[in-house]
Amino acid sequence: MTTDTLTRTANVILLGPPGVGKGTQAQILVDTLGMVQLSTGDMLREAKASGSEMGKRVAEVMARGDLVTDEIVIGLIEEKLTQSRDAAGFIFDGFPRTLAQADALEALMTKTGQSLDAAIELQVDDAILVDRIVGRAEQARAAGQPVRADDNEDSLKIRLMEYYKKTSPLVGYYHAKGILKGVNGMGAIDTIASDLAAIVKTASA
Ligand code: ADP
């Protein structure tokens, strides 16, 4: 994969329900454009694996498919944003997930002298999400790899409901702010990746 350079920093949010492919696409943007991925899901799984007090507290909430408190995830993001500044910009993956988190992110960006350039909604049909996530768990099981505690049908139902109740209002929020973009998330991974890269490049021009 070639590494392109961006003219200036572009900070983007990837929005979309569980299983839509945010993590996969964020990784491609990291590899191709040198961006920095900030995934609250990964940060929380790391906290769980580390056995820290906070990790223990969030593990059960995550396994059920519920959202972790705004306070915890905002704290995690604040730590990263104040520690690192990257020339190619940040990809927020799985954050913000509530309007309170969106407001907190905006305040943090202002505080650190940065801005948000685009909120990109990855759009897919729900039926595909269930198939992808159940498929991901089956593949991991077949390969003898660990299966995410929340990749089962019961948790997935809750994760989808949490998304529609608490996160999907952010689509309207970023539309009102004039930075919302939509990308069809049902095509080939490469096609989606080039659609996303085009938006990021425009945002950084
Ligand atoms: P998904 O594949 O469902 O998008 P993630 O890996 O982003 O999952 O997150 C897994 C779980 O971690 C969520 O279901 C939730 O419990 C917790 N989590 C991640 N990010 C946030 C957030 N911004 N706010 C609250 N909880 C979060």
Side-chain angles (χ1 to χ4, degrees), residues 40-60 62 146 149:
T40 42
D42 288 348
M43 292 174 205
L44 291 166
R45 279 185 288 275
E46 273 162 28
K48 177 186 161 188
S50 77
S52 68
E53 271 315 307
M54 186 266 274
K56 283 184 210 152
R57 262 189 290 143
V58 299
E60 233 175 274
M62 292 171 74

Side-chain angles (χ1 to χ4, degrees), residues 105-166:
L105 176 59
E106 186 149 311
L108 275 174
M109 296 301 272
T110 307
K111 189 166 118 187
T112 53
Q114 304 180 80
S115 61
L116 283 173
D117 301 285
I120 311 171
E121 184 195 11
L122 284 169
Q123 298 152 333
V124 301
D125 295 339
D126 279 359
I128 292 185
L129 302 174
V130 180
D131 288 352
R132 280 189 189 170
I133 290 182
V134 172
R136 172 164 87 187
E138 278 165 5
Q139 263 178 13
R141 226 170 267 124
Q145 288 165 354
V147 177
R148 266 176 59 165
D150 57 350
D151 273 355
N152 59 73
E153 285 199 54
D154 286 344
S155 301
L156 183 55
K157 262 189 218 145
I158 295 176
R159 282 157 67 193
L160 275 173
M161 192 51 82
E162 288 287 86
Y163 178 77
Y164 288 112
K165 280 201 309 208
K166 298 177 182 163

Side-chain angles (χ1 to χ4, degrees), residues 15 23 30 54-55 59-60 67 71 75 85 87 90 103 108 117 126 133 144 150 165 169 182 184 186 204:
L15 273 176
V30 168
M54 186 266 274
E60 233 175 274
L67 292 189
E71 196 192 351
R85 187 82 48 98
F90 294 114
D103 283 337
L108 275 174
D117 301 285
D126 279 359
I133 290 182
D150 57 350
K165 280 201 309 208
N184 178 350
M186 290 184 284
S204 78

Side-chain angles (χ1 to χ4, degrees), residues 61-78:
V61 177
M62 292 171 74
R64 264 200 318 266
D66 285 332
L67 292 189
V68 171
T69 63
D70 288 336
E71 196 192 351
I72 289 180
V73 290
I74 291 166
L76 288 170
I77 287 282
E78 179 165 20

